[in-house]
Amino acid sequence: MTAAPAETPVADPPAPAPLAPDRAARRAERRLRKQAEQDSVPHGMRATPAGRIARGALLTVAAIVTVFPFYAMVVLSLKPSAAVEFPGSLLPWPVTGEAYDSVMNAQDVPRWLFNTVIYSVVSVVGVLLLASLAGYAFAKKRFPGREAMFWSFLSMVMVPYHVTMIPTFAMIAKMGGVDTYWGMIVPTLANAQAVFLMRQFIQGLPDELFEAARLDGCSEWQIFYRIVLPLLKPILATLGVFVFLWHWNDFLWPLIIGQSTDMRTLTVGIASLQQQNVPLNVVLSGSVIAFVPIFAAYLVGQRYFTEGVTASGIKG
Amino acid sequence: MAVVAEPTRRGRRSGPQARREARIGLLFVLPCFLLFLAFRFGPGVAGVLMSFTDYSLTGGGSFIGLDNFTRLWEDPLFWQALKVTVLYTVLAVPGTLIASVSLALITRRAFRGARFFRSVFFLPVVTSLVLAATVFVWIFSTGGPWSTLMGWLGFSEGSWLSDDLLVLPALAIVGVWSRFGYGMLILLARMQDIPRELEEAALTDGAGPWQRFRFIVLPQLRPALFFLAVIETTASFQVFDAVYTMTGGGPANASYTLVFQLYDAGFKYFDLGYASAIGVALFVLTVVVAVIQRLVIGKDQ
């Protein structure tokens, strides 16, 4: 085993900020682990120099193909509408904010953005709260009907969403929920996948913790609020990012439940722009506006993403 | 501690402590469960029941037996939608699986930049297909990047989205682009669990990379591949967002999928009973294919 790389930043933290040494230590540890992993690969299985070049070339091509639509989306949205002809349009000049001006002023994009934020944020808060409460009860409490309830949750994961969507719509319509925020949000709060994930995670927490809190005189609410929720932080972050993106990207349900122009979400609104004769650069500037929060959530929550997908197989 | 904890826990099964625990448990579960009952379980049952009625938003709602299903059987549009959906799945699912396996194999071992590439490949998965579709329409348009590329390769430069034979391959390309990163991540996680000794043993026996993949890695990946095949097939059967935004089911219904027909029946003609019957057909189709996949891919689990 070779030692750590020569200058590890652990020894002399550059700034006295409380997070910095921690982060540096983690980085050094990661580097060590990677090194050890590489060292343990037998020679015959390591990439030869030619293999490494081939791998780099393949990955670069695949990455360019993957990123190209995002690149084109951003670059074309910054063009004057006359300049979206291929191939000259792929160069990032000339640049104007013309499309953004017109999409933010003449169209209903600000309102759609607001609707999308409401739909996503309220749903995230609601799903996380309901699922953590239910997950805690399923994992750590005995009560009559527990198994039956849990199995009914499980059984519904198999039934395609489209079968339940139509009666849900009919019911919401009867209750006057078409074109309202509650009609859009409330049916999506029952998220079986979120409950499973929470239950699975909470089952791994030691019972002694709750016992100790109980002996100290905590009420059940206090135990949930002071002990369970803080322990759930990592899984809440993972699930929160996922639920946020599910709702931000959701299309069919907002399409049928938000029927007036004012109640569209961004995805529904952009699809409607696409079908009218709106210039491409304007439609794309709408797409970019809708994409920025996705990208931000992805950058922030990337670690949670990869861990969440691999640990639980949550649908992306 | 454990000695004390055990009897207390058993003792709690009856008595005031147990009742308190049951009350708290129910209290915590009920908000979620009632919502679930109202908006998932109830509608799930209602969806099946509605497929036997002529329920429509504009009135009606009486039991008509199997009429919706016989109507579906005789509806040429349903057969078209079924054909389109199956064809799309046949193109998109193998494409996604092949791309996922290849990229998982390439990014499998730690190397400089591996994490970067994995993140790049996962980005389309978290992106709404509606947003991506706005660019893909341009990419596939006549004179756009794709048709220009096809022209260079000696094919026709026409737009694939307005060609009734090429529209499904075009949509499948978008589908593969948007999904392969997810499969890659699942397979990568599974590959970490393959005991390294197996491959090392094969290596000392003189097995080359292809043989190691074929006889060591692939068999170990089987459960993950089965899981992915089911997930991807289900997702493909339900393809809607990209179709709605990119082609609107056209040209000449060449990309008219089952969920598109369900949407049309339900929310264009307000024929909710008929739409529910399409939903049930979709459900049955999904189950049948999952069983077949189980038999073919997952036979020795």
Side-chain angles (χ1 to χ4, degrees):
Chain A
M1 302 287 118
T2 44
E7 56 304 306
T8 343
V10 197
D12 188 22
L19 255 179
D22 185 33
R23 200 183 297 158
R26 245 187 288 135
R27 206 181 305 141
E29 189 196 332
R30 204 185 305 141
R31 208 182 304 169
L32 256 178
R33 212 184 318 123
K34 207 176 277 179
Q35 188 63 43
E37 196 184 325
Q38 256 161 1
D39 285 346
S40 68
V41 177
H43 265 287
M45 268 154 59
R46 274 192 226 172
T48 59
R52 229 177 289 147
I53 290 168
R55 177 175 70 192
L58 268 170
L59 285 176
T60 308
V61 170
I64 288 173
V65 170
T66 309
V67 169
F68 179 75
F70 297 110
Y71 175 80
M73 186 196 285
V74 174
V75 167
L76 294 186
S77 74
L78 290 168
K79 299 267 164 193
S81 57
V84 293
E85 289 302 312
F86 183 75
S89 52
L90 283 179
L91 299 173
W93 64 80
V95 162
T96 74
E98 187 190 281
Y100 289 88
D101 274 351
S102 72
V103 89
M104 289 306 280
N105 296 326
Q107 314 292 342
D108 310 286
V109 169
R111 169 78 197 211
W112 299 341
L113 183 64
F114 176 75
N115 293 345
T116 312
V117 169
I118 296 279
Y119 182 49
S120 312
V121 172
V122 175
S123 298
V124 168
V125 174
V127 167
L128 290 189
L129 183 67
L130 291 168
S132 55
L133 279 170
Y136 175 54
F138 276 132
K140 297 292 184 189
K141 301 282 172 200
R142 289 162 197 273
F143 52 89
R146 186 174 78 162
E147 297 305 303
M149 283 189 201
F150 189 72
W151 281 100
S152 68
F153 272 67
L154 196 68
S155 67
M156 285 311 288
V157 175
M158 329 279 178
V159 178
Y161 170 63
H162 303 97
V163 178
T164 66
M165 181 185 79
I166 296 161
T168 307
F169 176 81
M171 185 164 57
I172 294 286
K174 278 243 163 75
M175 286 160 33
V178 172
D179 265 345
T180 66
Y181 289 118
W182 72 262
M184 191 181 282
I185 293 168
V186 173
T188 66
L189 296 181
N191 189 324
Q193 263 177 310
V195 176
F196 292 144
L197 197 66
M198 287 298 183
R199 171 180 174 267
Q200 211 178 345
F201 187 87
I202 297 172
Q203 266 176 341
L205 300 177
D207 286 335
E208 287 76 16
L209 233 50
F210 312 126
E211 292 292 343
R214 209 163 285 135
L215 289 177
D216 286 346
C218 277
S219 75
E220 287 292 335
W221 290 108
Q222 282 172 325
I223 291 177
F224 180 76
Y225 186 74
R226 296 226 178 115
I227 314 279
V228 179
L229 274 189
L231 288 171
L232 287 183
K233 258 184 202 156
I235 196 76
L236 287 175
T238 307
L239 192 61
V241 176
F242 269 100
V243 175
F244 175 79
L245 285 172
W246 279 333
H247 284 88
W248 192 274
N249 292 337
D250 196 8
F251 182 64
L252 188 50
W253 178 247
L255 174 71
I256 61 179
I257 203 76
Q259 295 186 339
S260 72
T261 314
D262 267 358
M263 284 304 291
R264 283 176 188 156
T265 57
L266 270 175
T267 48
V268 178
I270 286 166
S272 71
L273 288 187
Q274 167 101 336
Q275 282 155 0
Q276 298 150 20
N277 269 334
V278 178
L280 181 68
N281 59 340
V282 177
V283 179
L284 290 179
S285 65
S287 293
V288 172
I289 290 170
F291 178 65
V292 167
I294 299 177
F295 193 59
Y298 183 53
L299 284 186
V300 172
Q302 210 177 34
R303 190 160 53 95
Y304 302 121
F305 258 113
T306 35
E307 278 164 18
V309 168
T310 50
S312 62
I314 314 187
K315 238 158 111 181
Chain B
M1 191 63 182
V3 184
V4 186
E6 215 26 64
T8 3
R9 194 170 298 161
R10 204 170 299 148
R12 252 200 275 136
R13 284 198 154 211
S14 55
Q17 270 255 298
R19 275 202 299 278
R20 207 172 73 102
E21 186 183 296
R23 207 176 54 229
I24 295 290
L26 276 172
L27 202 66
F28 279 14
V29 160
L30 274 183
C32 198
F33 186 70
L34 291 180
L35 275 173
F36 184 77
L37 220 54
F39 295 111
R40 283 286 173 272
F41 203 72
V45 176
V48 177
L49 292 180
M50 265 168 83
S51 67
F52 299 106
T53 70
D54 58 3
Y55 194 96
S56 74
L57 271 190
T58 45
S62 48
F63 183 77
I64 54 166
L66 287 172
D67 281 9
N68 281 326
F69 292 96
T70 45
R71 194 178 136 200
L72 209 57
W73 188 265
E74 285 155 11
D75 186 349
L77 202 54
F78 170 71
W79 292 106
Q80 171 68 13
L82 187 63
K83 191 182 89 184
V84 165
T85 306
V86 171
L87 264 177
Y88 171 81
T89 303
V90 166
L91 292 170
V93 173
T96 306
L97 290 184
I98 290 169
S100 304
V101 174
S102 319
L103 285 160
L105 280 174
I106 301 176
T107 56
R108 181 182 174 197
R109 305 236 183 269
F111 63 90
R112 193 187 284 271
R115 274 164 58 99
F116 167 78
F117 281 113
R118 287 179 204 157
S119 325
V120 167
F121 297 143
F122 198 70
L123 190 58
V125 182
V126 298
T127 306
S128 149
L129 262 182
V130 175
L131 307 185
T134 58
V135 190
F136 273 107
V137 166
W138 173 76
I139 288 177
F140 283 113
S141 65
T142 312
W146 185 257
S147 62
T148 309
L149 181 72
M150 287 298 112
W152 289 342
L153 297 175
F155 298 101
S156 136
E157 286 195 29
S159 161
W160 278 29
L161 292 181
S162 45
D163 184 317
D164 58 354
L165 283 179
L166 294 174
V167 65
L168 284 181
L171 286 169
I173 289 172
V174 179
V176 172
W177 174 83
S178 77
R179 298 288 307 170
F180 80 92
Y182 173 73
M184 182 195 72
L185 216 57
I186 296 279
L187 292 171
L188 274 173
R190 186 69 195 93
M191 282 175 183
Q192 311 298 320
D193 298 340
I194 299 177
R196 188 169 267 167
E197 295 75 39
L198 283 179
E199 279 184 87
E200 284 171 8
L203 185 71
T204 31
D205 289 347
W210 167 252
Q211 284 171 309
R212 290 203 304 274
F213 170 71
R214 173 70 188 80
F215 295 107
I216 311 281
V217 177
L218 199 57
Q220 297 270 335
L221 285 183
R222 214 169 193 166
L225 278 173
F226 173 69
F227 170 77
L228 272 185
V230 173
I231 293 277
E232 292 305 321
T233 308
T234 312
S236 296
F237 279 165
Q238 300 178 358
V239 61
F240 178 75
D241 301 10
V243 174
Y244 182 92
T245 29
M246 288 175 69
T247 68
N253 291 338
S255 62
Y256 195 85
T257 65
L258 278 176
V259 175
F260 207 87
Q261 191 186 14
L262 183 147
Y263 171 78
D264 262 3
F267 303 101
K268 201 162 142 198
Y269 304 112
F270 307 113
D271 200 348
L272 295 187
Y274 195 49
S276 298
I278 300 168
V280 171
L282 187 69
F283 180 34
V284 172
L285 189 66
T286 312
V287 172
V288 167
V289 172
V291 169
I292 293 174
Q293 279 171 331
R294 166 114 256 167
L295 293 177
V296 175
I297 309 179
K299 59 189 164 201
D300 49 16
Q301 280 167 49

